[in-house]
Amino acid sequence: RWRHVVYEPALQHQMLMGAWLTALNWTEPQDRVPEDGPFDWEGWYGMVLQGLVAIVTALKHPGFESEREVRFVYHAPPDASLLAFRAGPFSVTPYIKLAGLSRQEAHGYTLSTARPAPLPIREVTVGPAQDQGTAKGGLETLLAARANAPQVTTRLSQVPYR
């Protein structure tokens, strides 16, 4: 699902408090009677976790607001066959290779991991980085090398590196 990133701290706080209050209200349903049995803590935990993950994937520091980032958030099923791995700055990082979007008549857009297709990226902001110019040049070379890459605008972030 595509999401606009939320940069405004007051809105971020409102989103997190709303999720927390919803979770708390679920522990005390008005029509709950003892005959319903024990409270479903596992279901509550899953609901809270799902809500928090949905929110935190949309939050970013206000200093990056000029980037107007939009993110694609996909909650993958626990299928290890879809995972690929790369070296991260602190450890091995799992990820899912995305090939693009394919149109499904009955269900709207669904993710395709099977065939090469351009991702709907229109603009990439580079930085902040120690050498933004080199990073931007490398990105432009990568995009030019991809036969299925759409026309993508690149620009430098105005947020200072330090």
Side-chain angles (χ1 to χ4, degrees):
R1 173 171 174 223
W2 287 103
R3 296 198 174 155
H4 290 275
V5 171
V6 177
Y7 302 96
E8 174 59 42
L11 183 54
Q12 293 175 351
H13 182 262
Q14 180 182 355
M15 291 168 66
L16 289 167
M17 288 304 295
W20 183 242
L21 290 173
T22 298
L24 289 176
N25 286 335
W26 196 45
T27 63
E28 299 287 337
Q30 302 302 324
D31 57 353
R32 182 171 159 72
V33 292
E35 294 82 34
D36 290 341
F39 183 76
D40 180 11
W41 285 106
E42 186 175 328
W44 179 84
Y45 175 76
M47 191 255 332
V48 171
L49 187 61
Q50 184 179 16
L52 289 175
V53 166
I55 290 170
V56 298
T57 56
L59 307 182
K60 197 166 183 179
H61 189 277
F64 297 95
E65 188 170 10
S66 66
E67 295 176 359
R68 299 181 336 257
E69 184 176 340
V70 178
R71 296 177 177 173
F72 186 80
V73 179
Y74 177 71
H75 298 281
D79 181 354
S81 69
L82 296 175
L83 292 178
F85 299 89
R86 66 175 180 258
F90 304 108
S91 66
V92 175
T93 303
Y95 68 98
I96 297 175
K97 288 184 180 182
L98 301 181
L101 297 174
S102 60
R103 181 76 175 161
Q104 301 291 325
E105 292 217 10
H107 305 294
Y109 287 102
T110 57
L111 214 50
S112 169
T113 57
R115 63 174 177 73
L119 292 172
I121 299 171
R122 294 185 196 117
E123 180 180 78
V124 177
T125 302
V126 177
Q130 205 165 23
D131 186 358
Q132 281 183 306
T134 301
K136 184 176 185 261
L139 174 64
E140 289 169 343
T141 302
L142 171 68
L143 291 169
R146 300 280 181 174
N148 64 352
Q151 183 62 36
V152 177
T153 303
T154 59
R155 67 184 183 93
L156 299 177
S157 171
Q158 300 305 305
V159 175
Y161 178 62
R162 294 196 187 261

